[in-house]
Amino acid sequence: AQKITQTQPGMFVQEKEAVTLDCTYDTSDQSYGLFWYKQPSSGEMIFLIYQGSYDEQNATEGRYSLNFQKARKSANLVISASQLGDSAMYFCAMREGRATGTALIFGKGTTLSVSS
Amino acid sequence: DTGVSQDPRHKITKRGQNVTFRCDPISEHNRLYWYRQTLGQGPEFLTYFQNEAQLEKSRLLSDRFSAERPKGSFSTLEIQRTEQGDSAMYLCASSYVPSGKNIQYFGAGTRLSVL
C-alpha cells in the first residue's frame, strides 16, 4: 500500500484564487512529520511547510496552510491567493517516527497550473 | 547562508561508464541524504549520513552505487558501470539534527542521462 497518496495529477486555478492540494498518508506510528515541497521546472525541491503529528494547531507559513485531519490521515495543502509563480509540481512527504532512519517518503505529486 | 549545492547539474554518459556527483550541504548541517527521482515520480530515498557515518542504505542502492562523506562535509555519489535505468534526477538534501522538525533542504539536483 502506498504510504503517501496524492490523487490529483493536475490542478488548474486562476490568479488570486485559493487552491487545495490533497494528501492522505498511511502509518501506524504515533510520532511522524508531514511535509510539503514545491518543485518548479528548474528541479529544486523547495520546502514549504511542516506539520508534526502531535501539533494541535494547523501549520501556516505565509500563503501556505496545512489542513491536518489526523483521524482521516489527511494533510492537505491550502495555497491562498495563488500567483503565477506558484505553477509547479507539489509533493507531500512523510517522515515516520522510526528509531533509525529519517528518510522522507514522497507521494507522486500534483502539478499546479496558475493562469492569469 | 548558502543552500545545498550539487555539481554537475547535468551529466550525459554512455552505458558502462562511471559517474560521480558531488553535494555540498548547508554549512553545519550534520545530516546529508541522497534521493533519486525518475520522471513523473516523487523522490525515493537512497542513503543518508550523519556526519561522516553512513547510517542507512535503501534497497535501491545496488552494489554499483557508492556514497561517501569524508570529514562529514561534502558528499559524493558514484555510479559504476552505468545502465540506462540509472537515468534520473539525483537529489541531495541536508538537515540539522537535533532540530525537532529535522527539515530536509534540497539542492537543485544532478540530472543523469545514460545513452
mmCIF file with all atom_site columns, all heavy atoms in Angstrom, chain A residues 37 39 42 47 91 95 101-104 106-108, chain B residues 9 31 33 35 37 42-43 45 56 101-104:
data_model
loop_
_atom_site.group_PDB
_atom_site.id
_atom_site.type_symbol
_atom_site.label_atom_id
_atom_site.label_alt_id
_atom_site.label_comp_id
_atom_site.label_asym_id
_atom_site.label_entity_id
_atom_site.label_seq_id
_atom_site.pdbx_PDB_ins_code
_atom_site.Cartn_x
_atom_site.Cartn_y
_atom_site.Cartn_z
_atom_site.occupancy
_atom_site.B_iso_or_equiv
_atom_site.pdbx_formal_charge
_atom_site.auth_seq_id
_atom_site.auth_comp_id
_atom_site.auth_asym_id
_atom_site.auth_atom_id
_atom_site.pdbx_PDB_model_num
ATOM 1   N N   . TYR A 1 37  ? 6.530  20.046 -0.277  1.00 0.00 ? 37  TYR A N   1
ATOM 2   C CA  . TYR A 1 37  ? 7.611  20.648 -1.055  1.00 0.00 ? 37  TYR A CA  1
ATOM 3   C C   . TYR A 1 37  ? 7.066  21.091 -2.407  1.00 0.00 ? 37  TYR A C   1
ATOM 4   O O   . TYR A 1 37  ? 6.147  20.475 -2.956  1.00 0.00 ? 37  TYR A O   1
ATOM 5   C CB  . TYR A 1 37  ? 8.741  19.636 -1.299  1.00 0.00 ? 37  TYR A CB  1
ATOM 6   C CG  . TYR A 1 37  ? 9.608  19.361 -0.097  1.00 0.00 ? 37  TYR A CG  1
ATOM 7   C CD1 . TYR A 1 37  ? 9.240  18.391 0.840   1.00 0.00 ? 37  TYR A CD1 1
ATOM 8   C CD2 . TYR A 1 37  ? 10.802 20.054 0.099   1.00 0.00 ? 37  TYR A CD2 1
ATOM 9   C CE1 . TYR A 1 37  ? 10.039 18.128 1.940   1.00 0.00 ? 37  TYR A CE1 1
ATOM 10  C CE2 . TYR A 1 37  ? 11.612 19.792 1.202   1.00 0.00 ? 37  TYR A CE2 1
ATOM 11  C CZ  . TYR A 1 37  ? 11.212 18.822 2.112   1.00 0.00 ? 37  TYR A CZ  1
ATOM 12  O OH  . TYR A 1 37  ? 12.012 18.565 3.205   1.00 0.00 ? 37  TYR A OH  1
ATOM 13  N N   . GLN A 1 39  ? 8.288  21.865 -6.384  1.00 0.00 ? 39  GLN A N   1
ATOM 14  C CA  . GLN A 1 39  ? 9.367  21.620 -7.338  1.00 0.00 ? 39  GLN A CA  1
ATOM 15  C C   . GLN A 1 39  ? 9.052  22.317 -8.659  1.00 0.00 ? 39  GLN A C   1
ATOM 16  O O   . GLN A 1 39  ? 8.285  21.821 -9.480  1.00 0.00 ? 39  GLN A O   1
ATOM 17  C CB  . GLN A 1 39  ? 9.574  20.123 -7.568  1.00 0.00 ? 39  GLN A CB  1
ATOM 18  C CG  . GLN A 1 39  ? 10.813 19.807 -8.408  1.00 0.00 ? 39  GLN A CG  1
ATOM 19  C CD  . GLN A 1 39  ? 11.081 18.318 -8.542  1.00 0.00 ? 39  GLN A CD  1
ATOM 20  O OE1 . GLN A 1 39  ? 10.167 17.519 -8.724  1.00 0.00 ? 39  GLN A OE1 1
ATOM 21  N NE2 . GLN A 1 39  ? 12.349 17.920 -8.424  1.00 0.00 ? 39  GLN A NE2 1
ATOM 22  N N   . SER A 1 42  ? 12.747 23.987 -12.764 1.00 0.00 ? 42  SER A N   1
ATOM 23  C CA  . SER A 1 42  ? 14.204 24.002 -12.587 1.00 0.00 ? 42  SER A CA  1
ATOM 24  C C   . SER A 1 42  ? 14.702 22.777 -11.821 1.00 0.00 ? 42  SER A C   1
ATOM 25  O O   . SER A 1 42  ? 15.886 22.434 -11.878 1.00 0.00 ? 42  SER A O   1
ATOM 26  C CB  . SER A 1 42  ? 14.639 25.265 -11.855 1.00 0.00 ? 42  SER A CB  1
ATOM 27  O OG  . SER A 1 42  ? 13.987 25.345 -10.597 1.00 0.00 ? 42  SER A OG  1
ATOM 28  N N   . PHE A 1 47  ? 11.234 23.532 0.301   1.00 0.00 ? 47  PHE A N   1
ATOM 29  C CA  . PHE A 1 47  ? 10.419 23.236 1.471   1.00 0.00 ? 47  PHE A CA  1
ATOM 30  C C   . PHE A 1 47  ? 9.388  24.338 1.671   1.00 0.00 ? 47  PHE A C   1
ATOM 31  O O   . PHE A 1 47  ? 9.688  25.530 1.605   1.00 0.00 ? 47  PHE A O   1
ATOM 32  C CB  . PHE A 1 47  ? 11.305 23.129 2.713   1.00 0.00 ? 47  PHE A CB  1
ATOM 33  C CG  . PHE A 1 47  ? 10.530 23.162 3.991   1.00 0.00 ? 47  PHE A CG  1
ATOM 34  C CD1 . PHE A 1 47  ? 9.783  22.072 4.384   1.00 0.00 ? 47  PHE A CD1 1
ATOM 35  C CD2 . PHE A 1 47  ? 10.539 24.287 4.796   1.00 0.00 ? 47  PHE A CD2 1
ATOM 36  C CE1 . PHE A 1 47  ? 9.052  22.103 5.559   1.00 0.00 ? 47  PHE A CE1 1
ATOM 37  C CE2 . PHE A 1 47  ? 9.815  24.323 5.975   1.00 0.00 ? 47  PHE A CE2 1
ATOM 38  C CZ  . PHE A 1 47  ? 9.074  23.237 6.351   1.00 0.00 ? 47  PHE A CZ  1
ATOM 39  N N   . PHE A 1 91  ? 4.764  18.225 -3.853  1.00 0.00 ? 91  PHE A N   1
ATOM 40  C CA  . PHE A 1 91  ? 4.889  16.894 -3.267  1.00 0.00 ? 91  PHE A CA  1
ATOM 41  C C   . PHE A 1 91  ? 4.559  16.931 -1.779  1.00 0.00 ? 91  PHE A C   1
ATOM 42  O O   . PHE A 1 91  ? 5.047  17.791 -1.041  1.00 0.00 ? 91  PHE A O   1
ATOM 43  C CB  . PHE A 1 91  ? 6.315  16.354 -3.433  1.00 0.00 ? 91  PHE A CB  1
ATOM 44  C CG  . PHE A 1 91  ? 6.662  15.996 -4.852  1.00 0.00 ? 91  PHE A CG  1
ATOM 45  C CD1 . PHE A 1 91  ? 7.334  16.900 -5.661  1.00 0.00 ? 91  PHE A CD1 1
ATOM 46  C CD2 . PHE A 1 91  ? 6.315  14.757 -5.366  1.00 0.00 ? 91  PHE A CD2 1
ATOM 47  C CE1 . PHE A 1 91  ? 7.653  16.577 -6.967  1.00 0.00 ? 91  PHE A CE1 1
ATOM 48  C CE2 . PHE A 1 91  ? 6.639  14.420 -6.674  1.00 0.00 ? 91  PHE A CE2 1
ATOM 49  C CZ  . PHE A 1 91  ? 7.310  15.339 -7.471  1.00 0.00 ? 91  PHE A CZ  1
ATOM 50  N N   . ARG A 1 95  ? 7.711  11.724 7.237   1.00 0.00 ? 95  ARG A N   1
ATOM 51  C CA  . ARG A 1 95  ? 8.814  11.099 7.945   1.00 0.00 ? 95  ARG A CA  1
ATOM 52  C C   . ARG A 1 95  ? 8.196  10.346 9.107   1.00 0.00 ? 95  ARG A C   1
ATOM 53  O O   . ARG A 1 95  ? 7.556  10.929 9.957   1.00 0.00 ? 95  ARG A O   1
ATOM 54  C CB  . ARG A 1 95  ? 9.815  12.133 8.455   1.00 0.00 ? 95  ARG A CB  1
ATOM 55  C CG  . ARG A 1 95  ? 11.039 11.497 9.131   1.00 0.00 ? 95  ARG A CG  1
ATOM 56  C CD  . ARG A 1 95  ? 11.903 12.522 9.819   1.00 0.00 ? 95  ARG A CD  1
ATOM 57  N NE  . ARG A 1 95  ? 11.226 13.108 10.962  1.00 0.00 ? 95  ARG A NE  1
ATOM 58  C CZ  . ARG A 1 95  ? 11.000 14.413 11.095  1.00 0.00 ? 95  ARG A CZ  1
ATOM 59  N NH1 . ARG A 1 95  ? 11.382 15.258 10.163  1.00 0.00 ? 95  ARG A NH1 1
ATOM 60  N NH2 . ARG A 1 95  ? 10.392 14.862 12.162  1.00 0.00 ? 95  ARG A NH2 1
ATOM 61  N N   . GLY A 1 101 ? 16.838 5.870  10.874  1.00 0.00 ? 101 GLY A N   1
ATOM 62  C CA  . GLY A 1 101 ? 16.476 6.306  9.539   1.00 0.00 ? 101 GLY A CA  1
ATOM 63  C C   . GLY A 1 101 ? 15.481 7.450  9.568   1.00 0.00 ? 101 GLY A C   1
ATOM 64  O O   . GLY A 1 101 ? 14.514 7.419  10.315  1.00 0.00 ? 101 GLY A O   1
ATOM 65  N N   . THR A 1 102 ? 15.767 8.431  8.804   1.00 0.00 ? 102 THR A N   1
ATOM 66  C CA  . THR A 1 102 ? 14.877 9.586  8.770   1.00 0.00 ? 102 THR A CA  1
ATOM 67  C C   . THR A 1 102 ? 14.523 9.931  7.338   1.00 0.00 ? 102 THR A C   1
ATOM 68  O O   . THR A 1 102 ? 14.356 11.076 6.993   1.00 0.00 ? 102 THR A O   1
ATOM 69  C CB  . THR A 1 102 ? 15.548 10.802 9.424   1.00 0.00 ? 102 THR A CB  1
ATOM 70  O OG1 . THR A 1 102 ? 16.783 11.063 8.750   1.00 0.00 ? 102 THR A OG1 1
ATOM 71  C CG2 . THR A 1 102 ? 15.760 10.578 10.889  1.00 0.00 ? 102 THR A CG2 1
ATOM 72  N N   . ALA A 1 103 ? 14.404 8.929  6.504   1.00 0.00 ? 103 ALA A N   1
ATOM 73  C CA  . ALA A 1 103 ? 14.090 9.184  5.109   1.00 0.00 ? 103 ALA A CA  1
ATOM 74  C C   . ALA A 1 103 ? 12.696 9.746  4.967   1.00 0.00 ? 103 ALA A C   1
ATOM 75  O O   . ALA A 1 103 ? 11.777 9.397  5.709   1.00 0.00 ? 103 ALA A O   1
ATOM 76  C CB  . ALA A 1 103 ? 14.203 7.886  4.317   1.00 0.00 ? 103 ALA A CB  1
ATOM 77  N N   . LEU A 1 104 ? 12.531 10.623 4.017   1.00 0.00 ? 104 LEU A N   1
ATOM 78  C CA  . LEU A 1 104 ? 11.210 11.109 3.660   1.00 0.00 ? 104 LEU A CA  1
ATOM 79  C C   . LEU A 1 104 ? 10.593 10.167 2.636   1.00 0.00 ? 104 LEU A C   1
ATOM 80  O O   . LEU A 1 104 ? 11.271 9.684  1.732   1.00 0.00 ? 104 LEU A O   1
ATOM 81  C CB  . LEU A 1 104 ? 11.294 12.509 3.064   1.00 0.00 ? 104 LEU A CB  1
ATOM 82  C CG  . LEU A 1 104 ? 11.708 13.634 4.021   1.00 0.00 ? 104 LEU A CG  1
ATOM 83  C CD1 . LEU A 1 104 ? 11.829 14.951 3.261   1.00 0.00 ? 104 LEU A CD1 1
ATOM 84  C CD2 . LEU A 1 104 ? 10.717 13.759 5.164   1.00 0.00 ? 104 LEU A CD2 1
ATOM 85  N N   . PHE A 1 106 ? 7.787  10.143 -0.225  1.00 0.00 ? 106 PHE A N   1
ATOM 86  C CA  . PHE A 1 106 ? 7.079  11.126 -1.039  1.00 0.00 ? 106 PHE A CA  1
ATOM 87  C C   . PHE A 1 106 ? 5.897  10.504 -1.774  1.00 0.00 ? 106 PHE A C   1
ATOM 88  O O   . PHE A 1 106 ? 5.919  9.326  -2.131  1.00 0.00 ? 106 PHE A O   1
ATOM 89  C CB  . PHE A 1 106 ? 8.017  11.736 -2.087  1.00 0.00 ? 106 PHE A CB  1
ATOM 90  C CG  . PHE A 1 106 ? 9.001  12.710 -1.537  1.00 0.00 ? 106 PHE A CG  1
ATOM 91  C CD1 . PHE A 1 106 ? 10.193 12.279 -0.984  1.00 0.00 ? 106 PHE A CD1 1
ATOM 92  C CD2 . PHE A 1 106 ? 8.740  14.071 -1.584  1.00 0.00 ? 106 PHE A CD2 1
ATOM 93  C CE1 . PHE A 1 106 ? 11.116 13.192 -0.481  1.00 0.00 ? 106 PHE A CE1 1
ATOM 94  C CE2 . PHE A 1 106 ? 9.652  14.993 -1.089  1.00 0.00 ? 106 PHE A CE2 1
ATOM 95  C CZ  . PHE A 1 106 ? 10.842 14.550 -0.536  1.00 0.00 ? 106 PHE A CZ  1
ATOM 96  N N   . GLY A 1 107 ? 4.892  11.342 -2.040  1.00 0.00 ? 107 GLY A N   1
ATOM 97  C CA  . GLY A 1 107 ? 3.837  10.961 -2.958  1.00 0.00 ? 107 GLY A CA  1
ATOM 98  C C   . GLY A 1 107 ? 4.280  11.205 -4.386  1.00 0.00 ? 107 GLY A C   1
ATOM 99  O O   . GLY A 1 107 ? 5.407  11.624 -4.635  1.00 0.00 ? 107 GLY A O   1
ATOM 100 N N   . LYS A 1 108 ? 3.370  10.972 -5.331  1.00 0.00 ? 108 LYS A N   1
ATOM 101 C CA  . LYS A 1 108 ? 3.717  11.130 -6.750  1.00 0.00 ? 108 LYS A CA  1
ATOM 102 C C   . LYS A 1 108 ? 3.576  12.555 -7.239  1.00 0.00 ? 108 LYS A C   1
ATOM 103 O O   . LYS A 1 108 ? 3.978  12.872 -8.352  1.00 0.00 ? 108 LYS A O   1
ATOM 104 C CB  . LYS A 1 108 ? 2.849  10.196 -7.602  1.00 0.00 ? 108 LYS A CB  1
ATOM 105 C CG  . LYS A 1 108 ? 3.166  8.731  -7.380  1.00 0.00 ? 108 LYS A CG  1
ATOM 106 C CD  . LYS A 1 108 ? 2.458  7.853  -8.382  1.00 0.00 ? 108 LYS A CD  1
ATOM 107 C CE  . LYS A 1 108 ? 2.902  6.409  -8.188  1.00 0.00 ? 108 LYS A CE  1
ATOM 108 N NZ  . LYS A 1 108 ? 2.305  5.504  -9.188  1.00 0.00 ? 108 LYS A NZ  1
ATOM 109 N N   . ARG B 2 9   ? 25.129 19.890 -12.733 1.00 0.00 ? 9   ARG B N   1
ATOM 110 C CA  . ARG B 2 9   ? 23.673 19.963 -12.834 1.00 0.00 ? 9   ARG B CA  1
ATOM 111 C C   . ARG B 2 9   ? 23.152 18.942 -13.841 1.00 0.00 ? 9   ARG B C   1
ATOM 112 O O   . ARG B 2 9   ? 22.065 18.416 -13.689 1.00 0.00 ? 9   ARG B O   1
ATOM 113 C CB  . ARG B 2 9   ? 23.239 21.364 -13.248 1.00 0.00 ? 9   ARG B CB  1
ATOM 114 C CG  . ARG B 2 9   ? 23.482 22.434 -12.191 1.00 0.00 ? 9   ARG B CG  1
ATOM 115 C CD  . ARG B 2 9   ? 22.575 22.224 -10.959 1.00 0.00 ? 9   ARG B CD  1
ATOM 116 N NE  . ARG B 2 9   ? 21.187 22.013 -11.320 1.00 0.00 ? 9   ARG B NE  1
ATOM 117 C CZ  . ARG B 2 9   ? 20.331 22.973 -11.603 1.00 0.00 ? 9   ARG B CZ  1
ATOM 118 N NH1 . ARG B 2 9   ? 20.691 24.221 -11.562 1.00 0.00 ? 9   ARG B NH1 1
ATOM 119 N NH2 . ARG B 2 9   ? 19.079 22.679 -11.928 1.00 0.00 ? 9   ARG B NH2 1
ATOM 120 N N   . ARG B 2 31  ? 23.379 16.134 8.882   1.00 0.00 ? 31  ARG B N   1
ATOM 121 C CA  . ARG B 2 31  ? 22.832 15.011 8.122   1.00 0.00 ? 31  ARG B CA  1
ATOM 122 C C   . ARG B 2 31  ? 22.785 15.360 6.641   1.00 0.00 ? 31  ARG B C   1
ATOM 123 O O   . ARG B 2 31  ? 22.447 16.482 6.256   1.00 0.00 ? 31  ARG B O   1
ATOM 124 C CB  . ARG B 2 31  ? 21.444 14.638 8.622   1.00 0.00 ? 31  ARG B CB  1
ATOM 125 C CG  . ARG B 2 31  ? 21.512 13.838 9.913   1.00 0.00 ? 31  ARG B CG  1
ATOM 126 C CD  . ARG B 2 31  ? 20.278 13.033 10.152  1.00 0.00 ? 31  ARG B CD  1
ATOM 127 N NE  . ARG B 2 31  ? 20.452 12.196 11.343  1.00 0.00 ? 31  ARG B NE  1
ATOM 128 C CZ  . ARG B 2 31  ? 19.478 11.570 11.952  1.00 0.00 ? 31  ARG B CZ  1
ATOM 129 N NH1 . ARG B 2 31  ? 18.241 11.671 11.496  1.00 0.00 ? 31  ARG B NH1 1
ATOM 130 N NH2 . ARG B 2 31  ? 19.709 10.824 13.017  1.00 0.00 ? 31  ARG B NH2 1
ATOM 131 N N   . TYR B 2 33  ? 21.531 13.552 2.798   1.00 0.00 ? 33  TYR B N   1
ATOM 132 C CA  . TYR B 2 33  ? 20.714 12.493 2.204   1.00 0.00 ? 33  TYR B CA  1
ATOM 133 C C   . TYR B 2 33  ? 20.868 12.512 0.686   1.00 0.00 ? 33  TYR B C   1
ATOM 134 O O   . TYR B 2 33  ? 21.034 13.566 0.086   1.00 0.00 ? 33  TYR B O   1
ATOM 135 C CB  . TYR B 2 33  ? 19.233 12.732 2.508   1.00 0.00 ? 33  TYR B CB  1
ATOM 136 C CG  . TYR B 2 33  ? 18.902 13.031 3.950   1.00 0.00 ? 33  TYR B CG  1
ATOM 137 C CD1 . TYR B 2 33  ? 19.118 14.301 4.472   1.00 0.00 ? 33  TYR B CD1 1
ATOM 138 C CD2 . TYR B 2 33  ? 18.361 12.058 4.776   1.00 0.00 ? 33  TYR B CD2 1
ATOM 139 C CE1 . TYR B 2 33  ? 18.813 14.586 5.793   1.00 0.00 ? 33  TYR B CE1 1
ATOM 140 C CE2 . TYR B 2 33  ? 18.047 12.343 6.096   1.00 0.00 ? 33  TYR B CE2 1
ATOM 141 C CZ  . TYR B 2 33  ? 18.277 13.607 6.591   1.00 0.00 ? 33  TYR B CZ  1
ATOM 142 O OH  . TYR B 2 33  ? 17.970 13.886 7.907   1.00 0.00 ? 33  TYR B OH  1
ATOM 143 N N   . TYR B 2 35  ? 18.695 11.136 -2.727  1.00 0.00 ? 35  TYR B N   1
ATOM 144 C CA  . TYR B 2 35  ? 17.439 10.608 -3.259  1.00 0.00 ? 35  TYR B CA  1
ATOM 145 C C   . TYR B 2 35  ? 17.569 10.492 -4.768  1.00 0.00 ? 35  TYR B C   1
ATOM 146 O O   . TYR B 2 35  ? 18.352 11.201 -5.396  1.00 0.00 ? 35  TYR B O   1
ATOM 147 C CB  . TYR B 2 35  ? 16.274 11.556 -2.960  1.00 0.00 ? 35  TYR B CB  1
ATOM 148 C CG  . TYR B 2 35  ? 15.843 11.636 -1.516  1.00 0.00 ? 35  TYR B CG  1
ATOM 149 C CD1 . TYR B 2 35  ? 16.526 12.461 -0.620  1.00 0.00 ? 35  TYR B CD1 1
ATOM 150 C CD2 . TYR B 2 35  ? 14.744 10.919 -1.048  1.00 0.00 ? 35  TYR B CD2 1
ATOM 151 C CE1 . TYR B 2 35  ? 16.125 12.549 0.708   1.00 0.00 ? 35  TYR B CE1 1
ATOM 152 C CE2 . TYR B 2 35  ? 14.338 11.007 0.285   1.00 0.00 ? 35  TYR B CE2 1
ATOM 153 C CZ  . TYR B 2 35  ? 15.038 11.820 1.144   1.00 0.00 ? 35  TYR B CZ  1
ATOM 154 O OH  . TYR B 2 35  ? 14.640 11.912 2.460   1.00 0.00 ? 35  TYR B OH  1
ATOM 155 N N   . GLN B 2 37  ? 15.068 10.552 -8.291  1.00 0.00 ? 37  GLN B N   1
ATOM 156 C CA  . GLN B 2 37  ? 13.731 10.878 -8.786  1.00 0.00 ? 37  GLN B CA  1
ATOM 157 C C   . GLN B 2 37  ? 13.644 10.576 -10.268 1.00 0.00 ? 37  GLN B C   1
ATOM 158 O O   . GLN B 2 37  ? 14.386 11.151 -11.064 1.00 0.00 ? 37  GLN B O   1
ATOM 159 C CB  . GLN B 2 37  ? 13.408 12.362 -8.530  1.00 0.00 ? 37  GLN B CB  1
ATOM 160 C CG  . GLN B 2 37  ? 11.990 12.752 -8.926  1.00 0.00 ? 37  GLN B CG  1
ATOM 161 C CD  . GLN B 2 37  ? 11.696 14.207 -8.660  1.00 0.00 ? 37  GLN B CD  1
ATOM 162 O OE1 . GLN B 2 37  ? 12.589 15.043 -8.573  1.00 0.00 ? 37  GLN B OE1 1
ATOM 163 N NE2 . GLN B 2 37  ? 10.422 14.537 -8.524  1.00 0.00 ? 37  GLN B NE2 1
ATOM 164 N N   . GLY B 2 42  ? 7.777  10.867 -7.297  1.00 0.00 ? 42  GLY B N   1
ATOM 165 C CA  . GLY B 2 42  ? 8.404  11.608 -6.220  1.00 0.00 ? 42  GLY B CA  1
ATOM 166 C C   . GLY B 2 42  ? 9.788  11.047 -5.950  1.00 0.00 ? 42  GLY B C   1
ATOM 167 O O   . GLY B 2 42  ? 10.115 9.929  -6.370  1.00 0.00 ? 42  GLY B O   1
ATOM 168 N N   . PRO B 2 43  ? 10.621 11.786 -5.255  1.00 0.00 ? 43  PRO B N   1
ATOM 169 C CA  . PRO B 2 43  ? 11.954 11.288 -4.919  1.00 0.00 ? 43  PRO B CA  1
ATOM 170 C C   . PRO B 2 43  ? 11.884 10.019 -4.071  1.00 0.00 ? 43  PRO B C   1
ATOM 171 O O   . PRO B 2 43  ? 10.968 9.847  -3.268  1.00 0.00 ? 43  PRO B O   1
ATOM 172 C CB  . PRO B 2 43  ? 12.570 12.441 -4.119  1.00 0.00 ? 43  PRO B CB  1
ATOM 173 C CG  . PRO B 2 43  ? 11.801 13.655 -4.528  1.00 0.00 ? 43  PRO B CG  1
ATOM 174 C CD  . PRO B 2 43  ? 10.411 13.169 -4.787  1.00 0.00 ? 43  PRO B CD  1
ATOM 175 N N   . PHE B 2 45  ? 14.291 7.578  -1.511  1.00 0.00 ? 45  PHE B N   1
ATOM 176 C CA  . PHE B 2 45  ? 15.470 7.604  -0.656  1.00 0.00 ? 45  PHE B CA  1
ATOM 177 C C   . PHE B 2 45  ? 16.509 6.586  -1.098  1.00 0.00 ? 45  PHE B C   1
ATOM 178 O O   . PHE B 2 45  ? 16.184 5.439  -1.413  1.00 0.00 ? 45  PHE B O   1
ATOM 179 C CB  . PHE B 2 45  ? 15.034 7.309  0.782   1.00 0.00 ? 45  PHE B CB  1
ATOM 180 C CG  . PHE B 2 45  ? 16.149 7.080  1.747   1.00 0.00 ? 45  PHE B CG  1
ATOM 181 C CD1 . PHE B 2 45  ? 16.924 8.136  2.195   1.00 0.00 ? 45  PHE B CD1 1
ATOM 182 C CD2 . PHE B 2 45  ? 16.410 5.809  2.225   1.00 0.00 ? 45  PHE B CD2 1
ATOM 183 C CE1 . PHE B 2 45  ? 17.947 7.922  3.097   1.00 0.00 ? 45  PHE B CE1 1
ATOM 184 C CE2 . PHE B 2 45  ? 17.430 5.590  3.125   1.00 0.00 ? 45  PHE B CE2 1
ATOM 185 C CZ  . PHE B 2 45  ? 18.206 6.643  3.577   1.00 0.00 ? 45  PHE B CZ  1
ATOM 186 N N   . GLU B 2 56  ? 22.249 4.575  6.861   1.00 0.00 ? 56  GLU B N   1
ATOM 187 C CA  . GLU B 2 56  ? 21.190 3.776  6.258   1.00 0.00 ? 56  GLU B CA  1
ATOM 188 C C   . GLU B 2 56  ? 21.326 3.785  4.746   1.00 0.00 ? 56  GLU B C   1
ATOM 189 O O   . GLU B 2 56  ? 21.665 4.808  4.143   1.00 0.00 ? 56  GLU B O   1
ATOM 190 C CB  . GLU B 2 56  ? 19.813 4.311  6.653   1.00 0.00 ? 56  GLU B CB  1
ATOM 191 C CG  . GLU B 2 56  ? 18.656 3.425  6.181   1.00 0.00 ? 56  GLU B CG  1
ATOM 192 C CD  . GLU B 2 56  ? 17.296 3.878  6.726   1.00 0.00 ? 56  GLU B CD  1
ATOM 193 O OE1 . GLU B 2 56  ? 17.260 4.735  7.624   1.00 0.00 ? 56  GLU B OE1 1
ATOM 194 O OE2 . GLU B 2 56  ? 16.281 3.353  6.245   1.00 0.00 ? 56  GLU B OE2 1
ATOM 195 N N   . LYS B 2 101 ? 12.187 19.432 14.118  1.00 0.00 ? 101 LYS B N   1
ATOM 196 C CA  . LYS B 2 101 ? 11.461 19.245 12.862  1.00 0.00 ? 101 LYS B CA  1
ATOM 197 C C   . LYS B 2 101 ? 12.297 18.458 11.857  1.00 0.00 ? 101 LYS B C   1
ATOM 198 O O   . LYS B 2 101 ? 11.757 17.802 10.979  1.00 0.00 ? 101 LYS B O   1
ATOM 199 C CB  . LYS B 2 101 ? 11.073 20.600 12.270  1.00 0.00 ? 101 LYS B CB  1
ATOM 200 C CG  . LYS B 2 101 ? 10.098 21.378 13.138  1.00 0.00 ? 101 LYS B CG  1
ATOM 201 C CD  . LYS B 2 101 ? 9.751  22.712 12.498  1.00 0.00 ? 101 LYS B CD  1
ATOM 202 C CE  . LYS B 2 101 ? 8.780  23.504 13.354  1.00 0.00 ? 101 LYS B CE  1
ATOM 203 N NZ  . LYS B 2 101 ? 8.442  24.811 12.737  1.00 0.00 ? 101 LYS B NZ  1
ATOM 204 N N   . ASN B 2 102 ? 13.621 18.563 11.965  1.00 0.00 ? 102 ASN B N   1
ATOM 205 C CA  . ASN B 2 102 ? 14.526 17.851 11.063  1.00 0.00 ? 102 ASN B CA  1
ATOM 206 C C   . ASN B 2 102 ? 14.118 18.061 9.612   1.00 0.00 ? 102 ASN B C   1
ATOM 207 O O   . ASN B 2 102 ? 13.927 17.109 8.867   1.00 0.00 ? 102 ASN B O   1
ATOM 208 C CB  . ASN B 2 102 ? 14.561 16.361 11.403  1.00 0.00 ? 102 ASN B CB  1
ATOM 209 C CG  . ASN B 2 102 ? 15.676 15.621 10.683  1.00 0.00 ? 102 ASN B CG  1
ATOM 210 O OD1 . ASN B 2 102 ? 16.597 16.233 10.137  1.00 0.00 ? 102 ASN B OD1 1
ATOM 211 N ND2 . ASN B 2 102 ? 15.595 14.313 10.643  1.00 0.00 ? 102 ASN B ND2 1
ATOM 212 N N   . ILE B 2 103 ? 13.966 19.316 9.238   1.00 0.00 ? 103 ILE B N   1
ATOM 213 C CA  . ILE B 2 103 ? 13.549 19.641 7.871   1.00 0.00 ? 103 ILE B CA  1
ATOM 214 C C   . ILE B 2 103 ? 14.709 19.405 6.924   1.00 0.00 ? 103 ILE B C   1
ATOM 215 O O   . ILE B 2 103 ? 15.821 19.853 7.158   1.00 0.00 ? 103 ILE B O   1
ATOM 216 C CB  . ILE B 2 103 ? 13.062 21.091 7.798   1.00 0.00 ? 103 ILE B CB  1
ATOM 217 C CG1 . ILE B 2 103 ? 11.786 21.253 8.624   1.00 0.00 ? 103 ILE B CG1 1
ATOM 218 C CG2 . ILE B 2 103 ? 12.803 21.492 6.339   1.00 0.00 ? 103 ILE B CG2 1
ATOM 219 C CD1 . ILE B 2 103 ? 11.401 22.688 8.874   1.00 0.00 ? 103 ILE B CD1 1
ATOM 220 N N   . GLN B 2 104 ? 14.445 18.706 5.848   1.00 0.00 ? 104 GLN B N   1
ATOM 221 C CA  . GLN B 2 104 ? 15.458 18.447 4.835   1.00 0.00 ? 104 GLN B CA  1
ATOM 222 C C   . GLN B 2 104 ? 15.366 19.513 3.747   1.00 0.00 ? 104 GLN B C   1
ATOM 223 O O   . GLN B 2 104 ? 14.304 19.737 3.176   1.00 0.00 ? 104 GLN B O   1
ATOM 224 C CB  . GLN B 2 104 ? 15.269 17.056 4.245   1.00 0.00 ? 104 GLN B CB  1
ATOM 225 C CG  . GLN B 2 104 ? 15.498 15.955 5.271   1.00 0.00 ? 104 GLN B CG  1
ATOM 226 C CD  . GLN B 2 104 ? 15.345 14.568 4.714   1.00 0.00 ? 104 GLN B CD  1
ATOM 227 O OE1 . GLN B 2 104 ? 15.495 14.333 3.519   1.00 0.00 ? 104 GLN B OE1 1
ATOM 228 N NE2 . GLN B 2 104 ? 15.065 13.609 5.589   1.00 0.00 ? 104 GLN B NE2 1
#
